Amino acid sequence: MTDTTPSTPSASADTAVGDGGSDPTLGEVVVVTGMTGAGRSTAAKELEDLGYYVVDNLPPSLLPDVVRLVDQSLGTTQPIAVVVDVRSGSFFASLHTQLAQGFAGRRTTLVFLDAADEVLVRRQEAARRPHPLQASGRLLDGLHRERRVLADLRSDADLVIDSGALNVHQLTDRIAAAFGTPGNTQLKVTVVSFGFKYGIPVDADYLADMRFLPNPFWIPELRDHTGRDADVSEYVRSRPGAAEFLDAYVPVLTGVGEGYLREGKRFMRVAIGCTGGKHRSVAMTEEITRRLVAAGFKARSVHRDLGRE
């Protein structure tokens, strides 16, 4: 379907609900609401990936407290996103007041997620969950009650997204387009060196074994050095098969990374192992990271087992 944008969230400070006199140097407050089954949780997860501090199912009366605590603990530039909906019960009625008052000078954007009743019924039935306003009636009765409660908020929203024809990836793309920046929509790649004798990283998306290369441990002048030292790095990268591996493997990672972005994934973890995680895996991790950065990815290297021997 389509996005209805009465005012573009990032256009100016005075276009969002309750934004009179907001300070553009402060982190934004995004309030996510809308119909049950329209994708509020998906939107919240995407905002979290974009660097927002996210609170789900927050009573509106606590919004000022959340902003105050984030200001104190994370700083005033930290953006905040909260999911507020009819699950808050009687507390929900105070949302209009809270939005009108604003939050400590922060720009506020109200996002409303919607979809046709038949779509919402199908999604709720697939999830096998009752509607929070259904009571003893039908699922559709709960949706109708929710629409009446939310009618005013929908008309006041800065951004309305009809998710009826969107899959999860398309919805996250809409959120990223509205709230992402070049810095937080890049793929973030972590390249981790490790030693097989300490166990394989369980959170790795991709894993490569460097034990096909000669081990610098058996060279006395290199044994006490690590893969971060120039002499070890040069030795490892100059061994037969090392350059060929790098030339073949890094393009695979860049291709996968581009696919991750198309699918709305913004984090990739690559594990590079050798026996002890000191020489070969460290040197190759540093080189892979360097090549990924040169290819335009936001990549960093982590050496899990360096120093354990």
Side-chain angles (χ1 to χ4, degrees), residues 14-83:
D14 61 358
T15 58
V17 174
D19 266 351
S22 63
D23 185 344
T25 66
L26 302 180
E28 182 177 15
V29 175
V30 175
V31 178
V32 178
T33 190
M35 297 296 295
T36 300
R40 295 183 309 242
S41 296
T42 298
K45 179 62 172 65
E46 176 63 12
L47 286 164
E48 186 174 28
D49 287 347
L50 292 173
Y52 283 72
Y53 181 88
V54 177
V55 182
D56 193 5
N57 193 20
L58 183 76
S61 59
L62 296 181
L63 263 166
D65 295 321
V66 169
V67 173
R68 177 176 51 82
L69 291 172
V70 170
D71 285 350
Q72 293 173 354
S73 59
L74 300 176
T76 57
T77 60
Q78 170 65 48
I80 302 168
V82 295
V83 179

Side-chain angles (χ1 to χ4, degrees), residues 85-238:
D85 53 66
V86 293
R87 290 175 295 172
S88 300
S90 59
F91 293 107
F92 189 74
S94 67
L95 182 55
H96 270 294
T97 302
Q98 296 294 337
L99 290 172
Q101 291 175 347
F103 306 103
R106 289 171 176 257
R107 179 163 59 91
T108 305
T109 300
L110 177 62
V111 179
F112 192 99
L113 294 163
D114 203 353
D117 284 349
E118 57 268 25
V119 174
L120 298 175
V121 168
R122 186 168 64 249
R123 290 176 179 174
Q124 285 297 101
E125 288 178 343
R128 298 188 177 183
R129 298 186 63 184
H131 191 280
L133 300 184
Q134 182 175 342
S136 59
R138 301 174 303 162
L139 176 58
L140 196 58
D141 295 331
L143 289 171
H144 289 167
R145 294 189 186 102
E146 186 176 33
R147 285 205 185 279
R148 289 194 294 271
V149 172
L150 298 177
D152 290 342
L153 277 177
R154 192 187 193 284
S155 64
D156 288 343
D158 301 289
L159 174 63
V160 177
I161 299 178
D162 185 339
S163 68
L166 304 179
N167 60 33
V168 170
H169 304 308
Q170 291 167 332
L171 177 55
T172 57
D173 285 345
R174 297 288 179 89
I175 298 297
F179 301 102
T181 66
N184 61 24
T185 56
Q186 282 183 293
L187 180 71
K188 298 174 179 64
V189 185
T190 302
V191 188
V192 184
S193 70
F194 73 96
F196 277 95
K197 70 180 184 179
Y198 301 114
I200 295 173
V202 297
D203 56 352
D205 299 300
Y206 288 86
L207 185 147
D209 185 353
M210 297 299 102
R211 290 176 296 184
F212 72 92
L213 298 171
N215 193 347
F217 177 84
W218 303 112
I219 301 175
E221 58 269 28
L222 298 180
R223 179 174 300 172
D224 294 333
H225 293 186
T226 76
R228 301 183 73 176
D229 294 316
D231 52 355
V232 174
S233 177
E234 183 178 352
Y235 174 84
V236 171
R237 290 185 290 109
S238 66

